[in-house]
Amino acid sequence: MRNTFYLISIICLTAQAVGSYFYHPLIWSFGLTVPVVLLGIYEVLQTKRTLMRNYPIVGRARYWMEILRPKIYQYFVESDTDGTPISRIIRNVVYQRAKKQLASTPFGTQLDIYEPGYEWVNHSMNPLKLDAIDPNELRVSVGGSDCIKPYSLSIFNISAMSYGALSAQAIEALNWGAKEGNFAHNTGEGSASRFHLKRGGDLIWQIGTGYFGCRNEDGTFSAAKFAEKSNHPNIKMIEIKISQGAKPGHGGILPSQKNTPIIAEARGVEAWRRVESPSAHSAFSGNKELLEFIKKLRELSGGKPIGFKICMGSPSEFDDLCKTMVDTGIKPDFIAIDGGEGGTGAAPLEFSNSIGMSLKDGLVFASDYLNAYDLKKDIKIIASGKIMTGFDIIRNICLGADACYTARGMMLALGCIQALECNSNHCPTGVATQNPSLASGINVKEKHTRVFNYHHYTLEAVAEMLAAMGVGSTTQLGRTNLWRRISTNEISSYEKLFPEKNVGSSLLTSA
Ligand SMILES: Cc1cc2nc3c(=O)[nH]c(=O)nc-3n(C[C@H](O)[C@H](O)[C@H](O)COP(=O)(O)O)c2cc1C
Ligand code: SF4
């Protein structure tokens, strides 16, 4: 019925066009009124939508408004400082850096610096020369005492996003940008696809509960496949995914229609079959087994840095894990802390909104526990969760991170317009879709330069901020450098809000 309606509408619209051409009002009005009448009849007869049945035409207008509302809001209503999840001001700075456009703002800050929650770092009366720090030198060595192949990691890297969540073109452009900018690209749990490997950028291979790229047919972990793949020279570090901020404790499903032969090839599964990533790992259970698994992966990979990614849940669980590290002497080389504010391709609303600790709190917990157990010297922390600007990087390093990841920052650099359709396969910019005609809109050569530029100019901003603070290296940053407005007439350093823990400090063990 719907198709018949569309057909008649097309005939009527053609009649309208013909009517207009010959200036014949009768043909013209026929073309205008008949489709509306037909639409009304169709809506009265359909049984799916009550509102349209009771209020034909008007009900549909409301439906269209609902669809258009976010677009109208984004383009006509939203101010520079609103816009969720990423405000316009931040989106613009990413676009400008990616396109190498004017990087300054006129007339002063648009932020209300008297509003509680406003944060800043203090400058020094003795700043360094603005170009005193080389942005390319902003790196940190990852690899504890058991690691044979430590990796020099940029302080700003591409966070986990799989080929499958992102298009092949997006993955290739990200990896090419990473190659040119000498920073790392996390594969996401979908494993290292041919598009991750094509341009030779450094990879962090993420292993989720589906063990993609290193799984047996029954979905369990395959040591032999892991050993073979992890020895690829582009793979510099391995990250076990325990949880992610947008959906901690929730597995994932790769629907059969998205499981194309190339995606299946990367993941080591059968094409066009529905594949599940359970919520928990089958290769280990509990802290001791997790640490033994880390040790095993380190050996199988020939001594590459092995870490895990979590969104902080119960602090007492993390406390137990630290104790087990001390008892067994087995430590990860890095821990990625993801905040509850982190992004995802798709997640249930309750998980995105109401499970998992925010980055700031999770990071402070992790850093405090590792310090208290004297583990921090061997374990690097990578932070993620809305880290997009130079200040975001500095803020998280002040709170305990050694390096940072960004996922959505890189998507914006690729041209994402925050249309929020990543879970529909209709991404208009070709970034988060497997629809070949949409994805082919991405010009990989052009976009890889944008990824490179965004990374480069953001690190340049970090270097200049450090110089203004009179600090020669990110290792000198701490909570004393970061300040926050508590109320209109009260400000505090983060050292006062979250005092840093020293080795042996007593911490909550029953939180
Ligand atoms: C499209 C998309 C896909 C993602 N896929 C993964 C994934 O495969 N594994 C993972 O651990 N996190 C995944 N994430 C989460 C990001 O890696 C990151 O932890 C989170 O988005 C926080 O960073 P952001 O605020 O910079 O986006 C994904 C995020 C996005 C936006
Ligand atoms: S433009 Fe694409 S990637 Fe960006 S939010 Fe929309 S659907 Fe997601």
Side-chain angles (χ1 to χ4, degrees):
M1 179 165 180
R2 180 185 286 231
N3 288 343
T4 317
F5 163 71
Y6 285 140
L7 188 68
I8 296 173
S9 300
I10 289 168
I11 294 168
C12 292
L13 285 171
T14 313
Q16 199 180 345
V18 172
S20 311
Y21 185 75
F22 292 110
Y23 301 106
H24 196 299
L26 204 65
I27 305 178
W28 196 89
S29 58
F30 168 82
L32 184 71
T33 47
V34 172
V36 176
V37 171
L38 282 175
L39 179 64
I41 294 170
Y42 165 73
E43 289 185 349
V44 170
L45 295 181
Q46 60 85 33
T47 50
K48 272 193 181 160
R49 296 192 172 107
T50 314
L51 189 68
M52 287 187 199
R53 210 168 175 204
N54 291 345
Y55 299 93
I57 310 294
V58 175
R60 180 163 295 266
R62 183 195 164 276
Y63 178 70
W64 282 334
M65 286 302 167
E66 278 291 320
I67 293 174
L68 290 174
R69 185 181 167 276
K71 277 122 191 134
I72 292 173
Y73 185 80
Q74 188 180 107
Y75 292 115
F76 300 107
V77 183
E78 172 184 296
S79 80
D80 282 354
T81 50
D82 325 313
T84 53
I86 316 296
S87 68
R88 177 175 287 273
I89 208 166
I90 299 296
R91 295 198 310 267
N92 281 346
V93 83
V94 177
Y95 296 146
Q96 282 170 357
R97 287 193 175 142
K99 291 183 195 160
K100 220 172 153 178
Q101 286 172 345
L102 192 67
S104 53
T105 49
F107 224 59
T109 181
Q110 294 187 37
L111 305 181
D112 180 356
I113 69 171
Y114 292 97
E115 195 178 323
Y118 169 74
E119 289 170 336
W120 72 100
V121 283
N122 284 338
H123 60 284
S124 165
M125 285 172 69
N126 301 297
L128 309 179
K129 276 172 63 189
L130 215 53
D131 59 358
I133 301 163
D134 177 358
N136 299 317
E137 297 298 313
L138 293 171
R139 307 186 77 82
V140 55
S141 175
V142 185
S145 47
D146 298 328
C147 172
I148 302 170
K149 295 178 181 160
Y151 174 63
S152 169
L153 178 73
S154 165
I155 60 162
F156 196 41
N157 304 280
I158 304 171
S159 197
M161 288 180 286
S162 308
Y163 167 49
L166 300 193
S167 63
Q169 288 82 344
I171 295 286
E172 187 183 336
L174 287 175
N175 194 260
W176 194 358
K179 167 82 180 165
E180 213 146 293
N182 194 17
F183 55 100
H185 176 192
N186 191 311
T187 62
E189 59 185 309
S191 187
S193 68
R194 58 170 90 164
F195 306 105
H196 285 96
L197 294 164
K198 189 169 169 187
R199 299 289 175 177
D202 289 351
L203 290 174
I204 301 172
W205 178 18
Q206 188 182 69
I207 297 177
T209 56
Y211 303 110
F212 296 126
C214 56
R215 67 189 252 140
N216 296 311
E217 255 179 44
D218 61 359
T220 54
F221 173 72
S222 159
K225 287 185 186 160
F226 175 82
E228 192 193 328
K229 189 150 193 158
S230 62
N231 277 294
H232 193 290
N234 296 13
I235 294 176
K236 304 294 181 189
M237 311 209 295
I238 288 112
E239 180 180 274
I240 302 162
K241 177 179 170 182
I242 309 259
S243 55
Q244 102 181 60
K247 47 176 178 179
H250 197 281
I253 292 165
L254 179 66
S256 51
Q257 66 276 17
K258 269 193 126 185
N259 187 8
T260 62
I262 307 182
I263 290 180
E265 167 202 89
R267 297 186 183 213
V269 296
E270 204 183 305
W272 308 121
R273 235 193 59 202
R274 178 187 143 103
V275 185
E276 287 188 27
S277 299
S279 52
H281 279 265
S282 57
F284 57 86
S285 161
N287 295 334
K288 192 154 178 274
E289 286 188 20
L290 164 63
L291 296 175
E292 278 160 3
F293 187 63
I294 288 174
K295 188 174 171 207
K296 181 171 162 182
L297 297 193
R298 205 183 275 127
E299 285 163 7
L300 290 169
S301 67
K304 291 186 179 175
I306 314 288
F308 61 85
K309 169 173 179 171
I310 49 164
C311 171
M312 187 64 77
S314 153
S316 65
E317 274 185 5
F318 194 78
D319 183 18
D320 283 344
L321 178 60
C322 292
K323 279 187 199 141
T324 318
M325 289 183 207
V326 174
D327 292 346
T328 58
I330 310 171
K331 289 161 255 172
D333 298 292
F334 67 96
I335 300 177
I337 303 290
D338 197 25
E341 62 270 56
T344 175
L349 177 103
E350 287 83 352
F351 277 72
S352 284
N353 281 357
S354 314
I355 299 196
M357 206 177 277
S358 54
L359 174 60
K360 209 175 285 174
D361 304 286
L363 180 57
V364 165
F365 269 119
S367 161
D368 283 352
Y369 279 109
L370 293 179
N371 272 327
Y373 285 101
D374 198 18
L375 293 163
K376 186 69 188 64
K377 60 184 189 316
D378 288 323
I379 303 173
K380 295 291 184 292
I381 297 182
I382 309 176
S384 59
K386 287 198 179 178
I387 299 177
M388 302 201 182
T389 66
F391 174 64
D392 294 336
I393 296 172
I394 288 188
R395 173 179 45 210
N396 284 288
I397 295 181
C398 287
L399 291 175
D402 297 282
C404 300
Y405 276 138
T406 182
R408 285 168 293 178
M410 289 294 171
M411 289 168 86
L412 292 169
L414 285 172
C416 158
I417 53 166
Q418 196 164 272
L420 307 184
E421 300 208 19
C422 319
N423 57 349
S424 70
N425 210 25
H426 301 314
C427 169
T429 58
V431 174
T433 178
Q434 297 306 309
N435 177 330
S437 65
L438 290 169
S440 62
I442 292 190
N443 177 340
V444 176
K445 191 160 188 272
E446 162 68 20
K447 297 294 181 185
H448 100 275
T449 310
R450 295 204 185 171
V451 170
F452 167 83
N453 286 341
Y454 168 52
H455 177 266
H456 177 78
Y457 291 108
T458 304
L459 282 196
E460 195 173 86
V462 171
E464 290 185 354
M465 283 184 79
L466 291 174
M469 293 165 76
V471 167
S473 144
T474 53
T475 54
Q476 294 166 18
L477 294 174
R479 293 179 197 167
T480 45
N481 297 105
L482 184 64
W483 286 70
R484 183 182 175 89
R485 176 166 290 285
I486 310 296
S487 66
T488 320
N489 54 2
E490 201 186 348
I491 59 172
S492 170
S493 81
Y494 266 84
E495 175 55 30
K496 258 192 171 170
L497 294 174
F498 298 115
E500 256 167 299
K501 303 288 181 250
N502 300 317
V503 176
S505 318
S506 65
L507 284 160
L508 279 178
T509 50
S510 57

